[in-house]
Amino acid sequence: MKIAFYGSSLLSAYWNGAATYYRGLLRALARRGYDITFYEPDVFGRQENRDIDPPDWCRVAVYPGTLEGLKSASAHAAAADVVVKASGVGFEDDLLLAQVMQHARPTALKIFWDVDAPATLAELAAVPDHPLRKALPDLHLVLTYGGGDPVARAYRALGARACIPVYNALDPQTHHPVAKIGRFAVDLAFLGNRLPDREARVEEFFFGPALACPDQRFLIGGSGWDDKPMPSNTSLVGHVSTRDHNAFNVSPKIVLNVSRDSMARNGFSPATRVFEAAGAGACLLTDAWEGIEQFLKPGEEVLVARDGQDVSAILRSVTPEKAQAMGKRAMARVLAEHTYERRAQLVDRLLRERKASPLEAAE
């Protein structure tokens, strides 16, 4: 089957947290025989900050971030058996959705793939005549990379025929143990861009413990933190290329995951960082959110903190030996149950079922 996939970027993870997800899933689908073309707009400086070359398992079509470029790219949907419009493409998303689905063949499967369901659902609730809300009944399927049953129920209530989560996962080819790097060797490291709906939680779970534990060393990576006042025991490394993520994960004693506000409220939304860290054998500490036990066992495969005080207590009590052992257990769990190969099995089944009988299978 031919898939036309319209997303933010496959080639660049620059201000594009969905890149790892796209790469892992689409590579796994390509191994199953799918012929995939990924369409991405040239916006936000992503093409100047590519971190991979065009892959051999997927064609990538970069189109100008203009109305003419969008219309030209969307016309190629007519050649596909499966047409996917992802959320958060970043240039005229509503128009792109309309154009892509307009060009899709009557026999094609039409899918909206939401990589930030809490944000999308909040937008739909605020705008009753939102174009996506109007389009939902005509789409065969909504897929999301998180949110679980609460998100699925919300989408069905808005008119979606079916909504199924396809969670983040691990691609062992790209995230795996490597040698430690001295500049990343600290007690607690956090990697994430500075975002308005996460900054308060980063203050609670990272900067607060840094102030409370002056004898511990902290490291923060990601874009947007340059003008943020840092405690004296905290280092800033700025944007960390995906090629350095493994070293960033394995070098500290503990790696911290901090969910965005909306993801924490909804639960069942493990970030790509969770699986990247576990796949590298890192000891992961995450803020508490509903559903974590579905992916990793708290206390054995992952450390869970309810607030900054928990983070500080964990830092003081967890030895390097205990952290290393926990990282090994986490790696074994994700390799066994949470790879993109596993996720691709689910997507493959969903596509083939709906391709065989799209209307009946979607109801």
Side-chain angles (χ1 to χ4, degrees):
M1 277 191 272
K2 291 184 177 181
I3 300 178
F5 197 112
Y6 294 81
S8 51
S9 180
L10 190 76
L11 300 178
S12 176
Y14 185 70
W15 286 101
N16 178 35
T20 297
Y21 181 71
Y22 291 150
R23 293 167 186 173
L25 262 173
L26 297 184
R27 188 193 336 238
L29 286 171
R31 285 196 292 264
R32 291 178 165 272
Y34 287 89
D35 182 355
I36 307 167
T37 303
F38 191 99
Y39 297 89
E40 60 180 75
D42 185 359
V43 293
F44 302 126
R46 288 180 180 142
Q47 299 309 313
E48 291 75 36
N49 290 278
R50 290 185 180 184
D51 55 323
I52 66 168
D53 295 323
D56 57 6
W57 40 266
C58 174
R59 286 181 296 276
V60 180
V62 180
Y63 59 92
T66 63
L67 294 179
E68 293 76 13
L70 180 153
K71 291 177 180 178
S72 176
S74 63
H76 291 283
D81 303 299
V82 181
V83 177
V84 178
K85 161 63 175 71
S87 66
V89 173
F91 178 77
E92 295 289 346
D93 272 79
D94 295 340
L95 177 61
L96 180 61
L97 174 67
Q99 289 284 308
V100 164
M101 298 309 167
Q102 177 183 325
H103 286 292
R105 297 196 306 249
T107 56
L109 290 183
K110 304 174 185 67
I111 297 172
F112 179 70
W113 205 316
D114 198 342
V115 296
D116 192 354
T120 304
L121 289 169
E123 187 177 333
L124 294 178
V127 184
D129 60 346
H130 195 285
L132 174 58
R133 183 195 284 258
K134 294 180 178 179
L136 284 175
D138 296 323
L139 303 178
H140 296 104
L141 186 61
V142 173
L143 299 177
T144 73
Y145 90 163
D149 287 341
V151 164
R153 288 195 299 268
Y155 261 113
R156 289 195 296 269
L158 289 169
R161 298 182 190 177
C163 176
I164 298 169
V166 180
Y167 294 108
N168 283 317
L170 169 69
D171 182 350
Q173 289 184 260
T174 56
H175 295 103
H176 47 75
V178 298
K180 296 183 178 183
I181 291 181
R183 68 190 178 104
F184 296 147
V186 295
D187 295 293
L188 184 70
F190 168 70
L191 178 61
N193 293 334
R194 189 178 186 179
L195 300 171
D197 65 344
R198 182 166 56 192
E199 186 163 0
R201 294 178 67 80
V202 176
E203 289 277 3
E204 170 71 25
F205 288 89
F206 181 80
F207 289 112
L211 290 169
C213 301
D215 57 324
Q216 305 275 332
R217 293 175 300 152
F218 292 73
L219 178 70
I220 185 168
S223 300
W225 299 104
D226 302 58
D227 61 348
K228 182 78 172 179
M230 298 282 162
S232 60
N233 60 342
T234 302
S235 301
L236 171 68
V237 294
H239 175 69
V240 178
S241 171
T242 53
R243 61 178 170 269
D244 291 327
H245 281 192
N246 288 323
F248 188 96
N249 286 324
V250 303
S251 300
K253 182 175 75 171
I254 299 174
V255 175
L256 177 67
N257 173 70
V258 180
S259 304
R260 290 172 30 227
D261 292 341
S262 56
M263 295 292 190
R265 285 195 302 270
N266 281 271
F268 299 93
S269 299
T272 55
R273 302 273 184 251
V274 168
F275 299 105
E276 287 183 12
C283 178
L284 177 69
L285 167 60
T286 183
D287 57 327
W289 41 271
E290 186 180 0
I292 178 63
E293 66 281 350
Q294 181 174 323
F295 306 97
L296 293 167
K297 187 172 183 179
E300 292 189 15
E301 298 163 340
V302 64
L303 297 164
V304 179
R306 296 162 298 178
D307 52 31
Q309 288 185 337
D310 279 357
V311 174
S312 299
I314 287 169
L315 277 173
R316 294 189 180 102
S317 64
V318 173
T319 64
E321 294 75 20
K322 182 177 179 180
Q324 187 176 26
M326 185 167 290
K328 288 181 179 178
R329 290 192 292 269
M331 182 169 64
R333 173 74 180 275
V334 297
L335 284 171
E337 299 181 17
H338 301 301
T339 63
Y340 280 115
E341 189 61 39
R342 286 289 193 100
R343 305 295 191 248
Q345 291 176 13
L346 169 62
V347 176
D348 180 44
R349 177 175 62 79
L350 293 172
L351 297 184
R352 294 187 185 281
E353 286 176 352
R354 282 156 178 77
K355 192 63 179 172
S357 184
L359 288 179
E360 291 82 353
E363 292 175 350

